[in-house]
Amino acid sequence: MTTTWTAARVLRDRNSGLCLTSVVISGFGTSALWLASGVWVKDLTGSDGLAALCLLAMWAPTLAGPLLGTLADRFRRRPLLITASLLMAGLLLTLCAVDSPRGLWLLYAVLFVYGAAGVVHDAAESALIATAVDRSLLGDFNGLRTTVGEGTKLLAPLAGAGLYAAYGGAGVAVLDSATFLLATVVYAFLRVREDRPEPPRGGRRERTVEGARFLWAHPVLRPLVLAGGASMLCAGLSGALVYAVVDALGHSPAYAGVLYAVQGAGSVLVGLLSGPALRRLGERRFAAYGIALLAVAVALRAVPDDPLAWACSAAIGAGLPAVLIATLTAVQHETPGPLLGRVTGTANTLVYTPNVLGLAAGAALVELLDHRLLLAALGCALTATAATLLTHRPNPTPA
């Protein structure tokens, strides 16, 4: 009842509802393009390696999160989001000219800019949400954001695949361009008062490092971000082992899709419960309990049993987003407005980059070691991470 009430409060609040709508619209277009771009390159070239480069082009700019986050602090966030959305809407339409392998350079260039704009967008959106949404609703909002994001990930790739089959890659590019235009309209209707940022002080390097320095010195944010990065590293390693788990269950590789769907259901559930849980437990304990649940689920995946595999997938889907929701909410609560773009960009880099590294390491290790041994080791590592977070007692933040 409490969960339903707080979720309804978020949806009834005008700014919260509009921000959530923009998240759905943007996420739908991005998920559709993410799938279609790889298929597009594969059809044009027949190369798996060139198709995989699409994901790399979109992901690589996240490494520059601390630098790109400075843009979100240089300008007012709502006009910046509107400008970036209009820029991407126009840029995506240039992909209609890609009809042969000779045009792949344009596709990769647009995807790279797409990724860079996404980093700026995430930092500016997080800062804008912290201003536009009531502080007491931030946990609920971030939870619902996870819920609708997981729902979008289930539907958007199907829509993108269908549109690609009917109209090719250009059709998906037009769809994504339209979602950016719709997001622009949503941002325009937000009622939020933003002060003009102060003129920048110091050099570019000093301004970039300022967010990282604040994050590292903060007694609440540093352990949360480190725990989030460690959890995502282990999650990447575990994700690379999913086909070995499916093989041990005696199913075809397509069965992994079933496990991912169950995992998505777990993420939807924890998104609905996160607001009340954050108010009751606080960010640190909520994150620690989520990591502990993740540790148990990852370790038990070593047991070849179908019902247990389903339960573990649901638990992974519930446990991993808990630390991400807690970390983002804490960043929004604890960071001063003028620094929020840089701190968010830095935190996103530190939390999400290890996931890709984990996927790469897991793909190599699964060929060398028994997946059951790896899963047990990951469970122990996650348990240690949860214990460290639970036993950490932050000192008061200095004035």
Side-chain angles (χ1 to χ4, degrees):
M1 183 69 177
T2 302
T3 302
T4 304
W5 181 73
T6 52
R9 279 186 64 197
V10 173
L11 295 176
R12 282 200 302 265
D13 182 82
R14 187 177 188 276
N15 279 345
S16 299
L18 287 172
C19 288
L20 201 60
T21 301
S22 71
V23 169
V24 174
I25 294 171
S26 301
F28 188 90
T30 299
S31 297
L33 183 67
W34 171 77
L35 173 68
S37 60
V39 178
W40 196 356
V41 173
K42 174 70 174 176
D43 284 346
L44 288 175
T45 66
S47 170
D48 292 329
L50 291 176
L53 283 179
C54 293
L55 182 59
L56 177 62
M58 294 181 73
W59 171 82
T62 61
L63 295 173
L67 176 62
L68 293 173
T70 60
L71 293 176
D73 292 332
R74 287 284 306 277
F75 307 96
R76 286 182 296 171
R77 280 69 184 249
R78 191 179 69 143
L80 177 61
L81 287 169
I82 291 174
T83 302
S85 297
L86 289 175
L87 171 67
M88 289 311 305
L91 194 59
L92 281 164
L93 293 179
T94 64
L95 295 182
C96 294
V98 178
D99 57 2
S100 70
R102 288 181 300 177
L104 287 184
W105 69 270
L106 177 60
L107 176 59
Y108 289 133
V110 170
L111 291 177
F112 184 82
V113 175
Y114 195 109
V119 174
V120 177
H121 178 277
D122 288 346
E125 185 180 63
S126 176
L128 181 65
I129 287 169
T131 303
V133 177
D134 189 284
R135 289 179 63 85
S136 65
L137 294 178
L138 282 175
D140 301 275
F141 179 90
N142 290 327
L144 284 177
R145 182 179 184 173
T146 297
T147 296
V148 299
E150 289 300 322
T152 299
K153 288 177 184 176
L154 294 175
L155 298 176
L158 296 176
L163 195 62
Y164 179 84
Y167 301 104
V172 181
V174 171
L175 168 68
D176 201 8
S177 176
T179 63
F180 274 107
L181 290 176
L182 285 175
T184 300
V185 174
V186 173
Y187 292 134
F189 278 100
L190 277 173
R191 295 173 182 170
V192 57
R193 180 181 178 83
E194 295 184 273
D195 295 327
R196 186 179 297 277
E198 295 182 2
R201 293 174 296 179
R204 179 180 301 176
R205 182 176 181 274
E206 182 181 346
R207 296 196 304 270
T208 301
V209 172
E210 193 174 2
R213 187 183 297 121
F214 174 87
L215 185 63
W216 189 253
H218 200 286
V220 173
L221 298 182
R222 182 174 64 182
L224 274 172
V225 169
L226 291 178
S231 300
M232 290 296 282
L233 175 65
C234 292
L237 283 160
S238 174
L241 307 178
V242 66
Y243 291 106
V245 171
V246 169
D247 187 55
L249 292 171
H251 296 290
S252 68
Y255 191 75
V258 177
L259 297 182
Y260 279 127
V262 176
Q263 183 173 322
S267 299
V268 168
L269 178 62
V270 78
L272 294 173
L273 297 174
S274 62
L278 281 168
R279 280 188 290 275
R280 184 178 182 85
L281 301 172
E283 287 97 350
R284 180 175 56 84
R285 283 199 295 162
F286 180 57
Y289 293 158
I291 297 170
L293 178 62
L294 180 64
V296 173
V298 167
L300 288 179
R301 264 190 163 181
V303 180
D305 180 77
D306 277 309
L308 183 60
W310 282 47
C312 289
S313 293
I316 290 171
L320 184 58
V323 65
L324 304 179
I325 294 170
T327 302
L328 175 59
T329 304
V331 166
Q332 291 171 327
H333 275 151
E334 301 289 337
T335 307
L339 275 176
L340 194 46
R342 281 164 285 179
V343 173
T344 299
T346 304
N348 285 345
T349 297
L350 293 175
V351 169
Y352 290 105
T353 300
N355 183 251
V356 180
L357 301 178
L359 284 169
L365 289 174
V366 73
E367 300 293 338
L368 303 174
L369 300 172
D370 190 309
H371 76 280
R372 293 168 296 182
L373 178 62
L374 291 171
L375 289 170
L378 290 173
C380 292
L382 287 165
T383 300
T385 303
T388 302
L389 198 56
L390 276 175
T391 56
H392 176 78
R393 294 290 185 272
N395 296 319
T397 306

